[in-house]
Amino acid sequence: MTHSGRKISLTGIKPTGEPHLGNLIGAIRPALELASDYESIYFIADYHALTSVRDRTELATWTRSVAATWITMGLDPKRTIFYRQSDVPEIFELTWVLSCVTGKGLMNRAHAYKAARDRNAAAGLADLDAGINMGLFNYPVLMAVDILIMEADVVPVGQDQVQHLEYAADIAGSFNHLYGDVFSFKIPMAVTPPGDSGRTLPGVDGRKMSKSYGNTIPLFAPESRLRKLIRSIKSDSTPIEAPKDPDSSAAFQLFENFATPAEVADMRQRLLAGGTGWGELKNALFEVLNRQLTPLRERYLELMAPDSELDGLLAEGAERARQRARPVLAGVRRAIGIDPL
Ligand code: ADP
Ligand code: TRP
C-alpha cells in the first residue's frame, strides 16, 4: 500500500560516531539518488546504537550529527519521511510481536552475533556470550520491524547488511504464513551499490574506512583537521620521479570519488607518467574535498546548534512515520487476536 502509488525506499543509519566520507559514498548518496524515483523513508536508528553506545552525551550528539548530515547532504524533509526511530513507539510494540514468530536459531546464526562470539573465542574466554547484550542478539528483529512497519519495497544498504534483509524477509514470511489470512507484510529487498567493493572507501590507513578502525575522515571536520588527516593517508615511498600505480593508492581512490572525471583522468595520467608525488596527489585531494565540503560545513554547523530547525523537522517526520505505522500495527493486532477493547 503506497500512498502515492510509487514504491518505497527505506534506510536507517546508526548514530555510533561522526559521519564520514565512507558513509556518504556507501549509504547517504545512493539513498538520496533513490529518493527521486521512490517514495523515501530515511531515519536515524538511535535505539540500534544503544546496543553499543553507553555514553548519553555521545548518543545524543551523534544522533543529531547523523540527522544534520542527511539534511546537509540534500535530503528534502518535505519529500522524504525523516525521523528518529525512538520517536515511533509502534516499532517497539511490533518488535515484541515479531520476536514471538522468530526462531531463536535464526538469531544464533546472525553475522554480528556470531562475530562477537568468535572474538570471545579468540580471546580465550570460556563464556562465548560474555559481554554480549540481548540488544545485540535481537538486533535483526528490530531492524526487520523498521523495514516491515513502513512497508518498504527496497532498502539501500552496504553489502554487510544483506543478511539482515534476508532475515527481514524470513520473519515477514513466518508471520504471513501464520496470520496471512488477516494481515500480511510486504516482502522487502536489499539494494546494494553496484560493484560494492568499488564503492567501499579506504580510510587513512588503507583499510576500509570505519568508525571501528578509527581511520575515518569525518565529513565536516574543520579545514585544518581535514588537511592533517589527508596528509596522514598511508602511501608508499616511491620517489617523486618514478611512475606510480594510481589504483594501489588510498588517496587516489578517495580522489576518484570526489574529483570531476576530467581531474581524475588527468591525475591518473600524471601518476602513471612519473614526476608527480603522493604529496601532490594529497594536496589535490584536499583542495577537491575542501571545495565541496566548505559550504556544507556551515550548513551542518547551523543545524547542529541546539535551537536549529532540526528538532522541528524530526518531530514532523515522526508524526508522519507514526501515521504509516499505526494502520500496520492495527492490522497485526487484529491478525494475532489482540482486539481493541
Ligand atoms: P562504520 O563502519 O563506520 O561503523 P556503519 O556500519 O555505521 O559504518 O555504516 C553506515 C553505512 O555506511 C552502511 O550502509 C555502510 O555500508 C556504509 N559505509 C560504512 N563505511 C563505508 C566505507 N568505507 N565505504 C562505503 N560505505 C561505507
Ligand atoms: N543495521 C544498519 C547498519 O548497521 C542500520 C539500520 C537499522 C538499518 N535499521 C535499519 C538499515 C533498517 C536499513 C534498514 O548500518
Side-chain angles (χ1 to χ4, degrees), residues 54-84:
R54 292 289 180 237
D55 182 308
R56 69 178 73 88
T57 309
E58 284 182 348
L59 185 60
T61 307
W62 291 336
T63 299
R64 216 172 162 76
S65 138
V66 171
T69 300
W70 273 115
I71 300 288
T72 303
M73 295 322 300
L75 181 147
D76 175 357
K78 287 198 189 66
R79 295 180 50 191
T80 297
I81 301 184
F82 178 59
Y83 55 98
R84 292 191 309 185

Side-chain angles (χ1 to χ4, degrees), residues 33-188:
E33 279 161 18
L34 282 176
S36 50
D37 294 329
Y38 287 79
E39 193 168 352
S40 45
I41 306 187
Y42 297 150
F43 68 96
I44 302 120
D46 50 353
Y47 267 145
H48 271 114
L50 188 64
T51 62
S52 60
V53 179
R54 292 289 180 237
D55 182 308
R56 69 178 73 88
T57 309
E58 284 182 348
L59 185 60
T61 307
W62 291 336
T63 299
R64 216 172 162 76
S65 138
V66 171
T69 300
W70 273 115
I71 300 288
T72 303
M73 295 322 300
L75 181 147
D76 175 357
K78 287 198 189 66
R79 295 180 50 191
T80 297
I81 301 184
F82 178 59
Y83 55 98
R84 292 191 309 185
Q85 178 189 41
S86 58
D87 286 328
V88 183
E90 289 77 9
I91 290 173
F92 307 99
E93 182 172 344
L94 185 58
T95 299
W96 176 255
V97 176
L98 293 191
S99 298
C100 295
V101 302
T102 301
K104 175 174 174 288
L106 191 70
M107 295 300 110
N108 288 340
R109 294 188 290 277
H111 292 327
Y113 172 60
K114 274 192 1 194
R117 282 173 61 92
D118 288 349
R119 281 195 295 276
N120 281 341
L125 299 182
D127 176 7
L128 296 187
D129 282 329
I132 299 178
N133 61 66
M134 282 303 293
L136 175 70
F137 189 69
N138 287 330
Y139 187 108
V141 182
L142 180 57
M143 178 158 162
V145 171
D146 290 332
I147 297 165
L148 300 175
I149 204 164
M150 297 297 161
E151 300 178 290
D153 295 278
V154 297
V155 183
V157 281
Q159 200 61 45
D160 58 321
Q161 296 297 314
V162 169
Q163 189 198 40
H164 285 146
L165 262 295
E166 289 162 5
Y167 277 30
D170 236 57
I171 293 170
S174 307
F175 183 93
N176 293 354
H177 179 71
L178 287 163
Y179 300 111
D181 55 334
V182 173
F183 181 87
S184 36
F185 286 109
K186 193 188 272 178
I187 308 290

Side-chain angles (χ1 to χ4, degrees), residues 178-236:
L178 287 163
Y179 300 111
D181 55 334
V182 173
F183 181 87
S184 36
F185 286 109
K186 193 188 272 178
I187 308 290
M189 205 179 73
V191 264
T192 51
D196 199 52
S197 57
R199 286 182 102 163
T200 297
L201 282 199
V204 294
D205 60 359
R207 293 188 292 170
K208 174 191 175 242
M209 187 180 292
S210 172
K211 281 161 289 200
S212 30
Y213 296 147
N215 64 357
T216 71
I217 302 180
L219 273 166
F220 303 112
E223 191 171 315
S224 55
R225 185 159 163 235
L226 180 66
R227 191 191 300 273
K228 243 195 215 147
L229 282 168
I230 290 176
R231 287 230 181 96
S232 75
I233 296 173
K234 210 174 125 196
S235 50
D236 61 30

Side-chain angles (χ1 to χ4, degrees), residues 321-338:
R322 295 192 69 186
Q323 279 167 23
R324 295 278 174 135
R326 277 188 206 113
V328 174
L329 187 60
V332 167
R333 285 176 140 236
R334 249 192 345 271
I336 61 180
I338 304 281

